[in-house]
Amino acid sequence: MGDWKTITVPVLSSDSKNILPHTSERKRSPTSMNSQVLRLSLPSSKNMHSFFSAFCTEDNIEQSISYIDRELTTLGFPSIYAESKGKELNLIAIINCMNELLALQHKNLRAQEEVEMQHLKLGSDMDHLQNCYAKLKEQLELSKREIVGLQERDRQLQSKNRNLHQLLKNEKDEVQKLQNIISSRATQYNHDMKRKEREYNKLKERLHQLVMNKKDKKLAMEVLNYVGRADGKRGSWRTDKTEARNEEEMYKVLLSDYEQRQKQLLLENAELKKVLQQMKKDIISLLPPQKQKPKERSEDGLVLSDQEEDIGELNKENMWELSCETVREQLTNSIRKQWRMLKNHVEKLDNQVSRGHSGAFNEKDVISREDHELETEKLELEIQQCKEMIKTQQQLLQQQLTCDDDTTLLLQDCYLLEERERLQEEWRLFREQKKNFEKERKSFTEAAIRLGLERKAFEEDRGAWLKHQFLTMTADCKSENVTTPSAFLRSNVIDNVCLSGSDPDIRLVKPASRQRKPHLVLSPTVSPEPCQISQCITQNSVASEKPAADNMPNLWVESDDKEETE
Amino acid sequence: ASCMQHRLVVRDASSLQILQLYTCLDQIQYIEWSSDSLFILCAMYKRGIVQVWSLEQPDWHCKIDEGSAGLVASCWSPDGRHILNTTEFHLRITVWSLCTKSVSYIKYPKACQQGVAFTKDGRYMAVAERRDCKDFISIFVCNNWQLLRHFDTETQDLFGIEWAPNGCVLAAWDTCLEYKVLLYSLDGRLLSSYRAYEWPLGVKSIAWSPSSQFLAIGSFDEKVRILNHVTWKKITELDHPATISNKRTIVYKEVEKSPTVDRERLSFPPTRALASSLFSTQSKYDISQVPVSLQYIKPVADRANPKVGVGMLAFSADNCFLATKNDNIPNAVWIWDIRKLKLSVVLEQLCTIQYFQWDPCQPRLAVCTGSSRVYLWSPAGCIVVQVPGEGDFQIMSLSWHSSGDSMLLLSKDHFCVCYLEREEV
C-alpha cells in the first residue's frame, strides 16, 4: 500500500482544478500502482495527465480522497480532512501535505541521483578492477610459464653437470686403470724377460762348455815375438800382496781426488769468508753512525770481538777445523744483524723520502735508494750463495772427516773435550754472576725496606711533633689570653714570647719529643731573655699579629725565620 | 789408417801419403790404434780373427784366433799391450796379452751398449756383468787384470757405464724403460742415485763434463738434466722446445743460396765443372729473428726406440759449452753456455744432423748432416765449409785430430781430411 511512485510533481503553475484531478489520479488500484513501482523514468506530463486522471475520476472522488487520507495518515502526515468529521477538506493541511510530499519527492530524487552516481562509479571501478585483474592474471600466467621454462633449463643443466661429472669420474677411473695396467704389464714383462734370460743363460752355458771343449785345438795366438810392455816393466804374479797394493793404490787415487777437491773448497771457502767480512765492513760503513750509537756499542763489542776472533781464527783455521763452525756461525749471525740494521735504515730512508722533502733532496735520496736497493740485492744474492757454499762445504767436511775413521775419532774426542771444558767454564762464570746479582738484589731490597721504614718513622715523628706543637701552642695561647686580656700588642708580645720560647724549646724538642709540655710551660719563667728577643722579633715578623693558635704552618715558618735571624 | 776390404792402409796425417800397406785374411770390420800409436788391430768378426800390425816393424805380425767362440767386439786396453775380445753371444771377454801371451777371461759380461769402460788414465777398467738376472759391475786393475771390486747395481737392466774424467766416479744408467742413474765411487760405494721420473721413457744419452764437475743426462722427454759433482743433485733442467722465444739466443739458420749462372758461359754439353757448380747448391748461415719455430717431428707412437728425446750430448773441451741434439727436432744443434746455464746458440740446418764433435783444444764444434758440407761453430761465429770435389760427398761422420788442426770427414766409401789453418797471431 505504501508503494511510492516516483512520479515527479507536474508544474505547479497548473491551477488548483488540475490539482484535484491530479490528486484523484493518485488513487489507483494497488496492483496498477505496483506495476509502476519499478519505473524509474519519468513519464511525460501528458502521460502524467492521463495517469493522474486514471487514479481519480469524477465518480470516485470521495473514495480517492479517503484513500489518500488514509495513506497520508499511515505515512504520518496529518489528516487532510478538517477536524470536524465532515467531508470538508482541510486545504491547508492538503497543501502542507503536498508540500511535504514534494519535498520528500525532491529528497528521494536527490537520493536516487546520488545512488545512481554511486552506482555508475562502482560500475566503472568494477570495470577497472576487472581489467586489472585480467591483466594480472595474464602476467601471472606468463611468469608461471617463465618459471616453468627456467626450471626446465635448470634441470637440463644439472643433468648435464651430472653427466660431465660422471664422465670425469669415468676418465679418472680409466686413467687409474691404465696405470694399473701399465704397472702390471711392466711386472709381467720383467718376469718374462727374466725367464727368457734364464733360458738364454742356459744356452750360453751350454755353448760355453762346447767352446771350452774345443778350446785347445783352435784357440791360439800366434805372435812372432813378444812385445815389451809400454812402461818397460815385467809382468808380475798375482798374489795377495799385489791385491793389497791394488787396494792401496785405489784408495790413494780416491784420497788424492778428495784432497784436491777439499783444497779447492777450502780456497773457495776462504775467499767467500773474505768476501763476507768485506761485505760486513761495507754494511757497517753504510749504516749512519749516529743512529747506531747505542746499538753499535753492543754491536761494536760483538763485531770487534768477531773480527778479532775471525782474524785470530783465520790464522789458526787450518789447524783447528772445529772452530770453523763457530766462526762461521758468528760470521753469518753478525752479517744477518748488520743486514737487518741496514734494511731498517733503508726503510727509514724510504719513509723519509715518501714523506716528502724538497725535489732535489728527493732525487738524491731516490738515486741513493736505488743504488742501495741494487747493492742490497746483490749482497743478498751473494749471501745466499755464500750460505749454500758454506752448507755444502760443511757436508763435504763431514764426509771428509768420516772418511778417515781412526784419526778423526780421536780428533773429535779432543775437540769435544775442549768444547765441554769451555762450556763448563762459561757455566761457572754464569753461575757466579748470577749469585752476585742475587746478592746485590737482596741488599738493594733490604736497603729499600730500611729506607721505607725510616721514612715512615720520620713521617710519624714529624706528624706527632707537629701535633704536639699545635696542641701546646693552643694551650699556651689560651692560658695567656685568659690571664692578660690587655692590649693586643702585649698579647702579641706574649705570643712572641711563647714563640720565642718555643725556639729553644724547638731545638730542645726535636731530639726529645715527649718532653715538650713541661719545657713550654717553663717558658714564661724565662721572660727576661725572651723580651729582648721579642723586641727583635717584633721588628721582623709581620705575621705576629695573627693568633698563633690558628697558624700552624706560620708557626713553622716563623720559627724557621727566627732560626735564620738568630 | 784406413781399411778397405781386407787391406789396411796407413797414411801420414799431414800429407796423406801412404806409409804402409797390410793385407789381412778377411774383410776387416773394425780397426783401432793402440794408445801409443805403435800398433793397429784389425778385427774380422766373421772369421773370429784379430790381426795386429806394428808400425815400427812391418814384419812383425800377430794373429789371435777365437775359434768357435766367435768374435763380436775387440778393443785395446789403455796400456796398448792387451786386447780385449768379446766373444759371440757375449759369452766372455778374453784378455790377450801381447807381452806374455797369457790369457785371462772375464765371465758373464753384459751385452749392452757400453759394457766396458776404461778410466781416462787407463788404470782401471769397469765391466758390466749380469748373473742370474742381476747386474753387477766389476772393477779391474789394468796393470795385472786383478779384480778390485765387484758389486751389484740396483738397476733393472744396466744399459751403460762411464767413468768420470777424474777416474773416481763411475756413472751407470738403466735401460730406457727406467730412468735411473747410479753413481759409484772407485771403491764400489754407491754415492748417489738419481731418478727424475718414473714411468715415461728414460735416459737416452749421458756425458761427463771434462772437469768431472757436471754430469749431463739426456732423456726421452726432450730435456737434459745436469747434476753437480758435490751433491749429485740436479742443478738445472735444459728444455728443448720447438719454439725459441728467448731474445738472448742466437739462431743460425742454414739458408741455401742458388748459384748465379752466367748465361753467356753456358755451353752444351755442359762441362763438368759447370754442371757441378750448377747442381751443388751453396749455403750460408743467416741469423733468424727470434721467435723462431723449428721443424718438429712427432714420432711414430707404436715403434720401439722412438726418435724422441735428447740423443746426442757433448761437452766442449774447456767445459764451457754443451752441445745437444733433440731427436724430435733433428735439424737443430743446441749449444748451451754452461757458465750461465742458458741456451746461447741454436744451429738450424737443412738436413738431419748426423754427427757433431767438439774440437779437443778449443770451443769449436764441427757438425755434419749428410750433405757435402761441414759446419763449424765457435763463439766467434759459424761458417759453412764446402767439400770441394765432384759429385756428392755425403759426410756421415767426422773426427777431430787430437791437436785440433785437422778433421777427418767420412762418407760411406770415401774420406777426406780437412785442415784448419791457425791464425798467425
Side-chain angles (χ1 to χ4, degrees), chain A residues 197 200 204-205 207 219-222 224-229 238 242-243 246-247 250-251 253 257, chain B residues 60-63 65-66 81 89-91 97-99 101 108 123-124 130 145-146 148-149 168 187:
Chain A
E197 227 190 293
Y200 175 59
K204 267 188 10 180
E205 286 294 331
L207 195 59
L219 211 59
M221 182 162 117
E222 288 173 25
L224 193 62
N225 48 2
Y226 292 118
V227 183
R229 282 171 69 101
R238 261 190 227 184
T242 52
E243 274 186 32
N246 288 336
E247 296 263 324
M250 175 187 79
Y251 282 124
V253 164
D257 180 60
Chain B
W60 187 90
H61 66 270
C62 169
K63 186 175 85 167
D65 192 346
E66 284 287 344
R81 296 290 177 269
F89 302 119
H90 284 85
L91 280 180
S97 163
L98 289 175
C99 324
K101 220 181 176 184
Y108 308 114
R123 270 208 226 168
Y124 301 102
R130 193 171 175 94
W145 304 109
Q146 266 189 317
L148 187 63
R149 282 284 187 277
C168 294
D187 56 349

Short mmCIF file of all heavy atoms in Angstrom, two decimals, chain A residues 197 200 204-205 207 219-222 224-229 238 242-243 246-247 250-251 253 257, chain B residues 60-63 65-66 81 89-91 97-99 101 108 123-124 130 145-146 148-149 168 187:
data_model
loop_
_atom_site.label_atom_id
_atom_site.label_comp_id
_atom_site.label_asym_id
_atom_site.label_seq_id
_atom_site.Cartn_x
_atom_site.Cartn_y
_atom_site.Cartn_z
N GLU A 197 115.79 -64.65 -20.07
CA GLU A 197 117.20 -64.50 -19.79
C GLU A 197 117.77 -65.78 -19.22
O GLU A 197 118.88 -66.19 -19.57
CB GLU A 197 117.40 -63.36 -18.80
CG GLU A 197 118.50 -62.41 -19.22
CD GLU A 197 118.84 -61.45 -18.14
OE1 GLU A 197 117.98 -60.62 -17.82
OE2 GLU A 197 119.97 -61.53 -17.63
N TYR A 200 118.29 -68.14 -21.91
CA TYR A 200 119.43 -67.69 -22.70
C TYR A 200 120.72 -68.01 -21.98
O TYR A 200 121.70 -68.45 -22.58
CB TYR A 200 119.24 -66.19 -22.90
CG TYR A 200 120.36 -65.46 -23.59
CD1 TYR A 200 120.76 -65.82 -24.85
CD2 TYR A 200 120.99 -64.40 -22.97
CE1 TYR A 200 121.76 -65.14 -25.49
CE2 TYR A 200 122.00 -63.71 -23.60
CZ TYR A 200 122.38 -64.08 -24.86
OH TYR A 200 123.38 -63.41 -25.48
N LYS A 204 123.81 -70.18 -23.19
CA LYS A 204 125.17 -69.69 -23.20
C LYS A 204 126.09 -70.65 -22.48
O LYS A 204 127.21 -70.93 -22.93
CB LYS A 204 125.22 -68.30 -22.51
CG LYS A 204 125.09 -67.19 -23.50
CD LYS A 204 125.28 -65.77 -23.11
CE LYS A 204 125.81 -65.31 -21.84
NZ LYS A 204 125.86 -63.83 -21.80
N GLU A 205 125.60 -71.12 -21.36
CA GLU A 205 126.43 -72.07 -20.61
C GLU A 205 126.77 -73.27 -21.46
O GLU A 205 127.92 -73.71 -21.55
CB GLU A 205 125.69 -72.54 -19.34
CG GLU A 205 125.61 -71.51 -18.24
CD GLU A 205 126.97 -71.18 -17.65
OE1 GLU A 205 127.87 -72.05 -17.66
OE2 GLU A 205 127.14 -70.03 -17.21
N LEU A 207 126.77 -73.49 -24.63
CA LEU A 207 127.68 -73.09 -25.71
C LEU A 207 129.10 -72.95 -25.18
O LEU A 207 130.07 -73.38 -25.81
CB LEU A 207 127.19 -71.76 -26.30
CG LEU A 207 127.76 -71.35 -27.64
CD1 LEU A 207 127.45 -72.42 -28.67
CD2 LEU A 207 127.14 -70.04 -28.07
N LEU A 219 141.78 -72.38 -30.48
CA LEU A 219 142.05 -71.06 -29.89
C LEU A 219 143.53 -70.90 -29.70
O LEU A 219 144.17 -71.68 -29.03
CB LEU A 219 141.34 -71.00 -28.54
CG LEU A 219 140.87 -69.60 -28.12
CD1 LEU A 219 139.94 -69.05 -29.15
CD2 LEU A 219 140.18 -69.70 -26.80
N ALA A 220 144.07 -69.96 -30.31
CA ALA A 220 145.51 -69.78 -30.18
C ALA A 220 145.90 -68.38 -30.54
O ALA A 220 145.13 -67.62 -31.11
CB ALA A 220 146.23 -70.77 -31.11
N MET A 221 147.03 -68.10 -30.16
CA MET A 221 147.56 -66.78 -30.52
C MET A 221 148.96 -67.00 -31.07
O MET A 221 149.80 -67.59 -30.42
CB MET A 221 147.60 -65.89 -29.28
CG MET A 221 148.10 -64.50 -29.57
SD MET A 221 147.64 -63.39 -28.27
CE MET A 221 149.23 -62.92 -27.68
N GLU A 222 149.14 -66.49 -32.22
CA GLU A 222 150.49 -66.58 -32.79
C GLU A 222 151.13 -65.23 -32.74
O GLU A 222 150.59 -64.24 -33.24
CB GLU A 222 150.40 -66.98 -34.27
CG GLU A 222 150.00 -68.42 -34.48
CD GLU A 222 149.78 -68.66 -35.96
OE1 GLU A 222 150.40 -67.90 -36.78
OE2 GLU A 222 148.99 -69.54 -36.30
N LEU A 224 154.83 -63.37 -33.32
CA LEU A 224 156.18 -63.56 -33.83
C LEU A 224 157.18 -63.47 -32.70
O LEU A 224 158.06 -64.28 -32.56
CB LEU A 224 156.47 -62.50 -34.90
CG LEU A 224 157.72 -62.77 -35.74
CD1 LEU A 224 157.54 -64.07 -36.50
CD2 LEU A 224 157.97 -61.64 -36.71
N ASN A 225 157.06 -62.44 -31.97
CA ASN A 225 157.91 -62.31 -30.80
C ASN A 225 157.17 -61.47 -29.76
O ASN A 225 156.25 -60.72 -30.06
CB ASN A 225 159.24 -61.68 -31.17
CG ASN A 225 159.02 -60.43 -32.02
OD1 ASN A 225 157.89 -60.05 -32.27
ND2 ASN A 225 160.10 -59.83 -32.46
N TYR A 226 157.66 -61.64 -28.57
CA TYR A 226 156.98 -60.92 -27.51
C TYR A 226 157.25 -59.44 -27.62
O TYR A 226 158.31 -59.01 -28.07
CB TYR A 226 157.47 -61.41 -26.14
CG TYR A 226 157.05 -62.80 -25.86
CD1 TYR A 226 158.00 -63.81 -25.68
CD2 TYR A 226 155.70 -63.14 -25.79
CE1 TYR A 226 157.60 -65.10 -25.42
CE2 TYR A 226 155.32 -64.43 -25.53
CZ TYR A 226 156.26 -65.41 -25.35
OH TYR A 226 155.88 -66.67 -25.09
N VAL A 227 156.30 -58.73 -27.17
CA VAL A 227 156.45 -57.29 -27.20
C VAL A 227 156.67 -56.81 -25.79
O VAL A 227 156.08 -57.32 -24.85
CB VAL A 227 155.16 -56.63 -27.75
CG1 VAL A 227 155.32 -55.14 -27.86
CG2 VAL A 227 154.80 -57.22 -29.08
N GLY A 228 157.56 -55.90 -25.67
CA GLY A 228 157.81 -55.35 -24.33
C GLY A 228 156.62 -54.51 -23.88
O GLY A 228 155.85 -53.98 -24.68
N ARG A 229 156.51 -54.42 -22.59
CA ARG A 229 155.39 -53.61 -22.08
C ARG A 229 155.64 -52.13 -22.35
O ARG A 229 156.76 -51.70 -22.51
CB ARG A 229 155.26 -53.83 -20.58
CG ARG A 229 154.59 -55.13 -20.23
CD ARG A 229 154.70 -55.38 -18.76
NE ARG A 229 153.90 -54.45 -18.00
CZ ARG A 229 152.71 -54.75 -17.49
NH1 ARG A 229 152.22 -55.95 -17.68
NH2 ARG A 229 152.06 -53.86 -16.80
N ARG A 238 150.22 -62.83 -9.61
CA ARG A 238 149.07 -62.37 -8.82
C ARG A 238 149.17 -62.94 -7.43
O ARG A 238 149.05 -64.14 -7.24
CB ARG A 238 147.77 -62.90 -9.45
CG ARG A 238 147.07 -61.90 -10.31
CD ARG A 238 145.72 -62.43 -10.67
NE ARG A 238 145.51 -62.25 -12.10
CZ ARG A 238 144.39 -62.55 -12.72
NH1 ARG A 238 143.41 -63.08 -12.04
NH2 ARG A 238 144.26 -62.35 -13.99
N THR A 242 149.93 -58.20 -4.11
CA THR A 242 149.53 -57.33 -5.22
C THR A 242 148.10 -56.85 -5.04
O THR A 242 147.77 -55.70 -5.33
CB THR A 242 149.64 -58.07 -6.56
OG1 THR A 242 148.94 -59.30 -6.46
CG2 THR A 242 151.08 -58.31 -6.93
N GLU A 243 147.28 -57.74 -4.51
CA GLU A 243 145.90 -57.30 -4.27
C GLU A 243 145.86 -56.14 -3.31
O GLU A 243 145.18 -55.14 -3.52
CB GLU A 243 145.08 -58.47 -3.73
CG GLU A 243 144.51 -59.31 -4.83
CD GLU A 243 143.56 -60.37 -4.29
OE1 GLU A 243 142.90 -60.08 -3.27
OE2 GLU A 243 143.51 -61.45 -4.87
N ASN A 246 146.97 -53.11 -4.86
CA ASN A 246 145.93 -52.53 -5.72
C ASN A 246 144.95 -51.72 -4.92
O ASN A 246 144.58 -50.60 -5.30
CB ASN A 246 145.17 -53.65 -6.46
CG ASN A 246 146.02 -54.26 -7.53
OD1 ASN A 246 146.93 -53.63 -8.03
ND2 ASN A 246 145.70 -55.49 -7.89
N GLU A 247 144.54 -52.35 -3.79
CA GLU A 247 143.59 -51.61 -2.95
C GLU A 247 144.18 -50.29 -2.52
O GLU A 247 143.56 -49.24 -2.58
CB GLU A 247 143.26 -52.44 -1.71
CG GLU A 247 142.56 -53.74 -1.97
CD GLU A 247 141.08 -53.61 -1.79
OE1 GLU A 247 140.65 -52.86 -0.89
OE2 GLU A 247 140.33 -54.22 -2.57
N MET A 250 144.20 -47.79 -5.20
CA MET A 250 142.85 -47.27 -5.46
C MET A 250 142.48 -46.22 -4.43
O MET A 250 141.98 -45.14 -4.76
CB MET A 250 141.87 -48.43 -5.43
CG MET A 250 140.45 -47.96 -5.58
SD MET A 250 139.32 -49.29 -5.34
CE MET A 250 139.31 -49.41 -3.58
N TYR A 251 142.75 -46.57 -3.16
CA TYR A 251 142.40 -45.60 -2.13
C TYR A 251 143.22 -44.35 -2.25
O TYR A 251 142.74 -43.24 -1.99
CB TYR A 251 142.58 -46.24 -0.75
CG TYR A 251 141.45 -47.14 -0.39
CD1 TYR A 251 141.68 -48.48 -0.05
CD2 TYR A 251 140.14 -46.70 -0.41
CE1 TYR A 251 140.63 -49.32 0.26
CE2 TYR A 251 139.09 -47.52 -0.10
CZ TYR A 251 139.34 -48.84 0.23
OH TYR A 251 138.30 -49.65 0.54
N VAL A 253 144.24 -43.06 -4.98
CA VAL A 253 143.63 -42.24 -6.03
C VAL A 253 142.42 -41.49 -5.49
O VAL A 253 142.29 -40.28 -5.68
CB VAL A 253 143.23 -43.14 -7.22
CG1 VAL A 253 142.28 -42.42 -8.14
CG2 VAL A 253 144.46 -43.59 -7.97
N ASP A 257 142.00 -37.42 -4.97
CA ASP A 257 140.91 -36.65 -5.56
C ASP A 257 140.16 -35.84 -4.52
O ASP A 257 139.88 -34.65 -4.69
CB ASP A 257 139.96 -37.62 -6.28
CG ASP A 257 138.81 -36.88 -6.92
OD1 ASP A 257 139.07 -36.03 -7.78
OD2 ASP A 257 137.67 -37.15 -6.53
N TRP B 60 156.63 -57.60 -38.24
CA TRP B 60 156.05 -58.22 -37.06
C TRP B 60 154.58 -58.47 -37.31
O TRP B 60 153.87 -57.67 -37.91
CB TRP B 60 156.24 -57.26 -35.87
CG TRP B 60 155.83 -57.82 -34.56
CD1 TRP B 60 156.58 -58.51 -33.68
CD2 TRP B 60 154.53 -57.69 -33.95
NE1 TRP B 60 155.88 -58.84 -32.55
CE2 TRP B 60 154.59 -58.33 -32.71
CE3 TRP B 60 153.34 -57.10 -34.33
CZ2 TRP B 60 153.52 -58.41 -31.85
CZ3 TRP B 60 152.27 -57.18 -33.46
CH2 TRP B 60 152.37 -57.84 -32.23
N HIS B 61 154.12 -59.62 -36.87
CA HIS B 61 152.70 -59.88 -37.05
C HIS B 61 152.17 -60.62 -35.83
O HIS B 61 152.91 -61.27 -35.10
CB HIS B 61 152.42 -60.66 -38.32
CG HIS B 61 153.00 -62.05 -38.26
ND1 HIS B 61 154.27 -62.32 -38.69
CD2 HIS B 61 152.50 -63.22 -37.79
CE1 HIS B 61 154.51 -63.62 -38.52
NE2 HIS B 61 153.46 -64.19 -37.95
N CYS B 62 150.91 -60.57 -35.67
CA CYS B 62 150.26 -61.26 -34.57
C CYS B 62 148.85 -61.59 -34.98
O CYS B 62 148.16 -60.76 -35.58
CB CYS B 62 150.26 -60.38 -33.32
SG CYS B 62 149.23 -61.02 -32.01
N LYS B 63 148.46 -62.81 -34.67
CA LYS B 63 147.10 -63.22 -35.04
C LYS B 63 146.44 -63.85 -33.84
O LYS B 63 147.02 -64.73 -33.20
CB LYS B 63 147.15 -64.20 -36.19
CG LYS B 63 145.78 -64.56 -36.74
CD LYS B 63 145.88 -65.44 -37.96
CE LYS B 63 146.00 -66.86 -37.45
NZ LYS B 63 145.81 -67.86 -38.51
N ASP B 65 143.19 -65.91 -32.68
CA ASP B 65 142.06 -66.66 -33.23
C ASP B 65 141.14 -67.05 -32.09
O ASP B 65 141.56 -67.74 -31.17
CB ASP B 65 142.60 -67.90 -33.94
CG ASP B 65 141.51 -68.55 -34.78
OD1 ASP B 65 140.32 -68.20 -34.60
OD2 ASP B 65 141.86 -69.39 -35.61
N GLU B 66 139.92 -66.63 -32.17
CA GLU B 66 138.99 -67.01 -31.12
C GLU B 66 138.33 -68.35 -31.37
O GLU B 66 137.69 -68.89 -30.51
CB GLU B 66 137.89 -65.93 -30.98
CG GLU B 66 138.35 -64.68 -30.28
CD GLU B 66 138.52 -64.86 -28.78
OE1 GLU B 66 138.00 -65.86 -28.23
OE2 GLU B 66 139.18 -64.02 -28.15
N ARG B 81 148.92 -52.91 -24.73
CA ARG B 81 149.55 -54.22 -24.87
C ARG B 81 148.57 -55.36 -24.70
O ARG B 81 148.97 -56.51 -24.77
CB ARG B 81 150.65 -54.38 -23.81
CG ARG B 81 151.78 -53.43 -23.99
CD ARG B 81 152.59 -53.78 -25.23
NE ARG B 81 153.64 -52.79 -25.42
CZ ARG B 81 153.47 -51.70 -26.16
NH1 ARG B 81 152.34 -51.45 -26.77
NH2 ARG B 81 154.47 -50.85 -26.29
N PHE B 89 127.71 -63.96 -28.62
CA PHE B 89 126.69 -64.06 -27.57
C PHE B 89 127.20 -63.53 -26.23
O PHE B 89 126.63 -63.82 -25.18
CB PHE B 89 126.21 -65.49 -27.34
CG PHE B 89 125.65 -66.11 -28.57
CD1 PHE B 89 126.24 -67.24 -29.10
CD2 PHE B 89 124.58 -65.55 -29.23
CE1 PHE B 89 125.74 -67.81 -30.25
CE2 PHE B 89 124.08 -66.11 -30.38
CZ PHE B 89 124.66 -67.25 -30.90
N HIS B 90 128.22 -62.77 -26.30
CA HIS B 90 128.77 -62.19 -25.06
C HIS B 90 129.01 -63.26 -24.01
O HIS B 90 128.69 -63.11 -22.85
CB HIS B 90 127.81 -61.13 -24.51
CG HIS B 90 127.89 -59.85 -25.29
ND1 HIS B 90 127.16 -59.66 -26.44
CD2 HIS B 90 128.64 -58.74 -25.12
CE1 HIS B 90 127.44 -58.46 -26.92
NE2 HIS B 90 128.33 -57.88 -26.15
N LEU B 91 129.59 -64.35 -24.46
CA LEU B 91 129.87 -65.42 -23.51
C LEU B 91 130.94 -65.01 -22.53
O LEU B 91 130.83 -65.24 -21.34
CB LEU B 91 130.36 -66.66 -24.27
CG LEU B 91 129.28 -67.52 -24.89
CD1 LEU B 91 129.92 -68.70 -25.58
CD2 LEU B 91 128.32 -68.02 -23.85
N SER B 97 147.25 -60.97 -23.87
CA SER B 97 148.39 -60.10 -23.60
C SER B 97 149.43 -60.28 -24.69
O SER B 97 149.80 -61.41 -25.02
CB SER B 97 148.97 -60.43 -22.22
OG SER B 97 150.26 -59.88 -22.12
N LEU B 98 149.90 -59.18 -25.18
CA LEU B 98 150.93 -59.27 -26.22
C LEU B 98 152.31 -59.46 -25.62
O LEU B 98 153.26 -59.82 -26.30
CB LEU B 98 150.93 -57.99 -27.07
CG LEU B 98 149.72 -57.83 -27.99
CD1 LEU B 98 149.78 -56.48 -28.68
CD2 LEU B 98 149.68 -58.93 -29.02
N CYS B 99 152.39 -59.15 -24.34
CA CYS B 99 153.71 -59.26 -23.73
C CYS B 99 153.98 -60.68 -23.27
O CYS B 99 155.07 -61.20 -23.41
CB CYS B 99 153.84 -58.35 -22.51
SG CYS B 99 152.99 -56.80 -22.70
N LYS B 101 151.74 -63.39 -23.71
CA LYS B 101 150.96 -64.41 -24.41
C LYS B 101 149.99 -65.11 -23.48
O LYS B 101 149.60 -66.25 -23.71
CB LYS B 101 151.92 -65.44 -25.03
CG LYS B 101 151.52 -65.91 -26.40
CD LYS B 101 152.51 -66.92 -26.89
CE LYS B 101 152.08 -67.47 -28.23
NZ LYS B 101 152.95 -68.52 -28.71
N TYR B 108 130.63 -63.70 -17.97
CA TYR B 108 129.33 -63.04 -17.89
C TYR B 108 129.37 -61.56 -18.18
O TYR B 108 128.87 -60.77 -17.41
CB TYR B 108 128.69 -63.22 -16.50
CG TYR B 108 128.64 -64.62 -16.03
CD1 TYR B 108 129.38 -65.02 -14.93
CD2 TYR B 108 127.86 -65.56 -16.69
CE1 TYR B 108 129.34 -66.32 -14.49
CE2 TYR B 108 127.79 -66.86 -16.25
CZ TYR B 108 128.55 -67.25 -15.16
OH TYR B 108 128.49 -68.54 -14.72
N ARG B 123 144.00 -46.68 -15.69
CA ARG B 123 144.40 -47.57 -14.61
C ARG B 123 143.36 -48.62 -14.30
O ARG B 123 143.68 -49.71 -13.87
CB ARG B 123 144.60 -46.75 -13.34
CG ARG B 123 146.00 -46.27 -13.23
CD ARG B 123 146.33 -46.11 -11.79
NE ARG B 123 146.99 -44.84 -11.65
CZ ARG B 123 147.23 -44.26 -10.51
NH1 ARG B 123 146.82 -44.81 -9.40
NH2 ARG B 123 147.86 -43.12 -10.47
N TYR B 124 142.11 -48.21 -14.46
CA TYR B 124 141.06 -49.13 -14.04
C TYR B 124 140.10 -49.37 -15.18
O TYR B 124 139.89 -48.54 -16.05
CB TYR B 124 140.30 -48.58 -12.83
CG TYR B 124 141.19 -48.33 -11.65
CD1 TYR B 124 141.61 -47.05 -11.34
CD2 TYR B 124 141.63 -49.39 -10.86
CE1 TYR B 124 142.44 -46.83 -10.27
CE2 TYR B 124 142.45 -49.16 -9.80
CZ TYR B 124 142.86 -47.88 -9.51
OH TYR B 124 143.69 -47.66 -8.46
N ARG B 130 126.31 -59.54 -15.81
CA ARG B 130 124.95 -59.91 -15.43
C ARG B 130 124.93 -61.40 -15.10
O ARG B 130 125.26 -62.24 -15.94
CB ARG B 130 123.98 -59.62 -16.56
CG ARG B 130 122.55 -59.69 -16.07
CD ARG B 130 121.62 -59.20 -17.14
NE ARG B 130 120.24 -59.38 -16.72
CZ ARG B 130 119.50 -58.46 -16.12
NH1 ARG B 130 120.03 -57.30 -15.87
NH2 ARG B 130 118.25 -58.70 -15.79
N TRP B 145 145.30 -57.00 -14.28
CA TRP B 145 143.99 -57.58 -14.50
C TRP B 145 143.47 -58.31 -13.28
O TRP B 145 142.84 -59.36 -13.37
CB TRP B 145 143.97 -58.54 -15.70
CG TRP B 145 144.45 -57.82 -16.92
CD1 TRP B 145 145.64 -58.01 -17.55
CD2 TRP B 145 143.79 -56.76 -17.60
NE1 TRP B 145 145.77 -57.16 -18.59
CE2 TRP B 145 144.63 -56.35 -18.64
CE3 TRP B 145 142.57 -56.11 -17.45
CZ2 TRP B 145 144.31 -55.34 -19.52
CZ3 TRP B 145 142.24 -55.09 -18.33
CH2 TRP B 145 143.11 -54.70 -19.35
N GLN B 146 143.72 -57.71 -12.15
CA GLN B 146 143.19 -58.29 -10.93
C GLN B 146 141.86 -57.65 -10.60
O GLN B 146 141.68 -56.43 -10.83
CB GLN B 146 144.15 -58.05 -9.77
CG GLN B 146 145.10 -59.20 -9.56
CD GLN B 146 145.86 -59.01 -8.29
OE1 GLN B 146 146.32 -57.92 -8.00
NE2 GLN B 146 146.00 -60.06 -7.53
N LEU B 148 139.36 -55.86 -8.56
CA LEU B 148 139.47 -54.95 -7.43
C LEU B 148 138.18 -54.92 -6.62
O LEU B 148 138.18 -55.06 -5.42
CB LEU B 148 139.80 -53.55 -7.96
CG LEU B 148 140.11 -52.50 -6.92
CD1 LEU B 148 141.35 -52.89 -6.16
CD2 LEU B 148 140.32 -51.17 -7.59
N ARG B 149 137.10 -54.71 -7.34
CA ARG B 149 135.81 -54.62 -6.67
C ARG B 149 134.75 -55.29 -7.53
O ARG B 149 134.81 -55.24 -8.75
CB ARG B 149 135.40 -53.15 -6.48
CG ARG B 149 136.08 -52.43 -5.36
CD ARG B 149 135.50 -52.85 -4.04
NE ARG B 149 136.03 -52.05 -2.94
CZ ARG B 149 137.18 -52.29 -2.34
NH1 ARG B 149 137.92 -53.28 -2.74
NH2 ARG B 149 137.58 -51.51 -1.38
N CYS B 168 137.39 -41.13 -10.61
CA CYS B 168 136.97 -41.51 -9.27
C CYS B 168 135.51 -41.89 -9.17
O CYS B 168 135.08 -42.49 -8.19
CB CYS B 168 137.23 -40.36 -8.29
SG CYS B 168 138.97 -40.05 -8.11
N ASP B 187 135.77 -47.16 -5.20
CA ASP B 187 135.84 -48.36 -4.37
C ASP B 187 134.51 -49.07 -4.26
O ASP B 187 134.32 -49.88 -3.37
CB ASP B 187 136.37 -48.00 -2.98
CG ASP B 187 135.54 -46.93 -2.33
OD1 ASP B 187 134.70 -46.34 -3.04
OD2 ASP B 187 135.71 -46.68 -1.14
#
